[in-house]
Amino acid sequence: MTYRSTPSDLWMPLFGIDTPEARAERLRRMLENVPWKMATELYGSPLALELRVAQMRAELAEIETQIERGEVEERPEDPYLRLVAEMPVPAPGSKVYIGIRPESYPKEDVRVYVFEGESRKQLTHWPYHSTDGFEWRYGGSGPNDLALAILADVLGEEPTREAIEAGRPLRSWLLHWELKDEIIAGLPHTSWRLDASAIGQWAAKKLKKVQRQ
């Protein structure tokens, strides 16, 4: 799926992105798909928008130069990464999902990371039930979207609202309510981790059961 920038993205494109490589990739994708007409209205004039885009290009060039020279340092995300660091290191070749809710932060300010090998990224949110992001430890819209996002990542699907409402046979959509009820609603309040392989096995069993019905 092609990433499409929005005017608000251009205002704060790197919010919540925690590695230089991820920041550079986000800038590249945004600069390839600038919504010129809508963004011009937001910025008030074509010149203002051109200045913002020029700033983004300069920022991207600086990050790419730093990466090439090996001069970048990962930006800390305290207290999130401190909690992540306290968890067991994932086994080589495995993929795990880690949810974090720092006690000192508002209860809705949660993050879910995907760890695979040495890479780390935030789990993609496919907003259908919730516009506020992920949640867990109860049944509701945030937990439903978390279940959908994890299944989509495990099964390699893109459950966009358009795909769901078009009635496409998405396994992640078919199973996400059960995953929410059986696993997501019971996750610990502060932090948790789930193995992608275990979720994949769970999904395979559920799909076999559906096929027999």
Side-chain angles (χ1 to χ4, degrees):
M1 183 180 69
T2 301
Y3 177 84
R4 295 294 179 188
S5 301
T6 67
S8 59
D9 284 335
L10 298 176
W11 182 255
M12 190 178 291
L14 303 182
F15 178 77
I17 299 178
D18 57 339
T19 67
E21 292 80 6
R23 293 196 297 276
E25 178 60 23
R26 179 68 176 272
L27 280 167
R28 290 189 200 98
R29 291 188 297 168
M30 291 178 65
L31 287 168
E32 289 172 358
N33 298 283
V34 176
W36 290 101
K37 184 176 180 180
M38 289 189 299
T40 298
E41 295 175 0
L42 176 69
Y43 280 79
S45 71
L47 178 59
L49 175 59
E50 288 172 6
L51 289 173
R52 175 60 185 140
V53 171
Q55 180 187 25
M56 291 166 61
R57 287 176 176 149
E59 188 173 2
L60 174 59
E62 181 180 357
I63 294 173
E64 289 178 330
T65 299
Q66 291 174 343
I67 292 173
E68 183 178 349
R69 294 176 179 174
E71 298 174 350
V72 296
E73 293 184 2
E74 188 171 296
R75 292 183 181 179
E77 284 190 317
D78 294 336
Y80 294 94
L81 295 187
R82 283 204 305 271
L83 290 171
V84 170
E86 294 171 0
M87 295 187 172
V89 177
S94 67
K95 177 191 281 191
V96 300
Y97 304 98
I98 294 179
I100 298 293
R101 184 201 312 276
E103 293 289 356
S104 60
Y105 274 44
K107 66 178 183 178
E108 68 274 10
D109 194 0
V110 301
R111 296 184 189 178
V112 180
Y113 293 96
V114 184
F115 280 70
E116 186 170 15
E118 297 182 357
S119 69
R120 182 187 74 243
K121 64 178 181 180
Q122 291 194 45
L123 179 65
T124 299
H125 180 209
W126 301 94
Y128 189 88
H129 302 284
S130 170
T131 58
D132 298 327
F134 298 131
E135 254 298 355
W136 56 82
R137 78 191 179 359
Y138 66 93
S141 58
N144 265 319
D145 268 8
L146 176 56
L148 180 62
I150 289 176
L151 283 167
D153 191 73
V154 169
L155 299 173
E157 295 181 338
E158 295 185 352
T160 63
R161 180 174 291 274
E162 293 78 11
I164 292 169
E165 295 182 351
R168 297 178 191 171
L170 296 170
R171 297 166 295 169
S172 54
W173 176 255
L174 177 66
L175 298 177
H176 81 284
W177 286 287
E178 288 188 77
L179 183 67
K180 181 262 296 183
D181 289 339
E182 296 183 16
I183 298 177
I184 303 302
L187 290 172
H189 175 79
T190 303
S191 62
W192 50 266
R193 59 182 285 160
L194 294 172
D195 291 327
S197 60
I199 299 298
Q201 293 170 7
W202 178 93
K205 291 180 180 178
K206 292 292 182 180
L207 289 169
K208 285 183 180 180
K209 182 178 179 180
V210 170
Q211 292 169 356
R212 289 196 298 266
Q213 292 176 347

